[in-house]
Amino acid sequence: MNKLGVHALVWEAGWSHEECARAIAKTAEVGYDFIEAPALDPSLIDPDFTRRQLEAAGIGINFSLGLDFDSDISSGDPEKRRRGQAKLEDAIRVCRDCGGQYIGGILYSAFGKYYEPPTADGIAQSAETLRTVAEIAARSDITLVLEVVNRYETNICNTAAQGVEMMKRVGAPNVKVHLDVYHMNIEESDIASAIIDTGEHIGYFHTGDSHRGYMGSGSIDLASVFRALVRANYQGPITFESFSSRVVGQPLEGILGIWRNLWDDGHDLASHALMYTKAQLKAAQEAERQARERSRLPG
Ligand code: MN
C-alpha cells in the first residue's frame, strides 16, 4: 500500500514551532499518512519538537531539499562540495531524529537554473559524495531518493532514464529515483512509459498537475500516470505537491517561479488531492485486475 503524503508548503511557508505544529495537525486532520517537510536549511528544524507533534498527530514525516550553488556537490570547487556534503549529513540527522525514512529532492546538484551543461567530472564528483552520504543514511535506515526535475531546476537529472543512470553511478542500495509528474510533463516523451521503464528503481513519487494547482484541473493525463504506477507495482510513498503564491516564501518562490495564486484554501486543496489520489489508485488497480484476471474466456 502506498503511503500518501502532502507537502508542507500547502500549509505553511516555514518550520517555526507554530508553523510545524499547524502543518502537522492539518495534515493529520485531512487524513494523510505523512507530511513532507522542506529541509533546504536543516538547521531551521527542531527535531525534538517536530517528533512530539508527529507522535501526537499519529502521522509520519519525510524530507526534501535541493542544494544551492554554494553547496553544489557537482561543482569543481572542493569547498562547495564540502558544504553540500555537510548539508546532506545535517538533513540525515534531522530526518533520523524526526523518525523519517526518506530524503528526496535535488540532492545531487544545486536546485536552480544552470547556464552550462553538466560535466562528466561534476557528475562523478556528485556520485562519489552521494555514495559517502548514503552510507551514513543507511545507518539510520534512511533512503535517499534523487528527484528528476525539469531543465530549469538542475542540469543533471532531467529525465527518468538519467535518474536511473545517476542512481546506478552512486551504486548504493538505499539510493533510488524520485519521480515527479509535474517535471515529467515537461521533459519526458511519454510519462507512462517512463514510469514503467523506471519500474523497481522508483523510490518516491510526487503528484500534482501541470500548473501545480488542484489535481485534475491541469493538462496532465493523471489516469494514465496512476495506471503506470500500478503497472510498475510501485508501493512506495506518494506526496501531493502544490505551490501557490498564497503560501510560499523565498528561496522557493523565486527558484520555482511561484507568481500566481492557484488556490486560497489549503485544506480544500489537500482534501481534494487525497480523495482524487485514492480514487485514481483504486481505478488503476481495478483496471489492472480487469486486464490480468477478468479478461479470460470461460473453461
Ligand atoms: Mn517534486
Side-chain angles (χ1 to χ4, degrees), residues 23 27 33 45 65 70 78 89 97 150 194 209 211 214 249-251 260 265 272-273:
T27 298
D33 303 308
I45 295 167
L65 69 127
D70 250 1
E89 290 179 15
D97 294 345
N150 75 72
D209 214 320
H211 44 33
Y214 275 79
Q250 293 291 1
R260 286 191 292 139
D265 182 345
H272 168 267

Side-chain angles (χ1 to χ4, degrees), residues 86-268:
K87 188 177 282 190
L88 292 170
E89 290 179 15
D90 284 348
I92 290 167
R93 274 190 292 276
V94 164
C95 183
R96 175 198 67 194
D97 294 345
C98 291
Q101 290 180 291
Y102 292 88
I103 303 174
I106 305 141
L107 311 178
Y108 49 81
S109 79
F111 168 34
K113 171 79 170 73
Y114 282 79
Y115 289 85
E116 287 167 351
T119 63
D121 281 351
I123 291 169
Q125 295 280 12
S126 173
E128 191 184 315
T129 301
L130 283 171
R131 205 172 302 127
T132 305
V133 169
E135 274 183 37
I136 298 168
R139 290 180 215 142
S140 305
D141 290 323
I142 291 170
T143 299
L144 304 180
V145 287
L146 311 180
E147 186 167 14
V148 176
V149 297
N150 75 72
R151 66 190 68 190
Y152 306 109
E153 297 183 25
T154 182
N155 62 358
I156 297 184
C157 297
N158 297 143
T159 67
Q162 290 173 327
V164 171
E165 214 181 319
M166 190 64 186
M167 179 205 86
K168 288 181 175 168
R169 290 200 196 181
V170 179
N174 61 326
V175 172
K176 303 199 96 179
V177 177
H178 171 180
L179 297 181
D180 178 317
V181 73
Y182 162 79
H183 299 289
M184 298 185 87
N185 181 55
I186 297 172
E187 300 291 354
E188 302 291 346
S189 306
D190 181 329
I191 300 177
S193 303
I195 290 170
I196 290 165
D197 291 347
T198 310
E200 63 181 5
H201 301 310
I202 308 173
Y204 205 85
F205 198 82
H206 275 170
T207 50
D209 214 320
S210 51
H211 44 33
R212 312 199 98 161
Y214 275 79
M215 284 183 83
S217 75
S219 62
I220 300 177
D221 175 7
L222 286 167
S224 76
V225 169
F226 283 97
R227 285 189 185 198
L229 284 171
V230 169
R231 179 63 57 89
N233 195 28
Y234 177 64
Q235 306 280 339
I238 298 177
T239 301
F240 169 60
E241 195 174 40
S242 179
F243 303 101
S244 170
S245 58
R246 173 82 176 73
V247 186
V248 74
Q250 293 291 1
L252 278 174
E253 175 182 71
I255 300 171
L256 297 172
I258 311 301
W259 319 132
R260 286 191 292 139
N261 185 355
L262 288 165
W263 40 261
D264 288 302
D265 182 345
H267 192 279
D268 188 60

Side-chain angles (χ1 to χ4, degrees), residues 15 17 20 24 45-61 63 93-100:
W15 204 253
H17 283 182
C20 159
I24 288 172
I45 295 167
D46 177 343
D48 292 336
F49 182 84
T50 303
R51 191 171 191 136
R52 283 199 300 276
Q53 304 305 310
L54 292 166
E55 284 168 359
I59 61 166
I61 194 165
F63 292 91
R93 274 190 292 276
V94 164
C95 183
R96 175 198 67 194
D97 294 345
C98 291

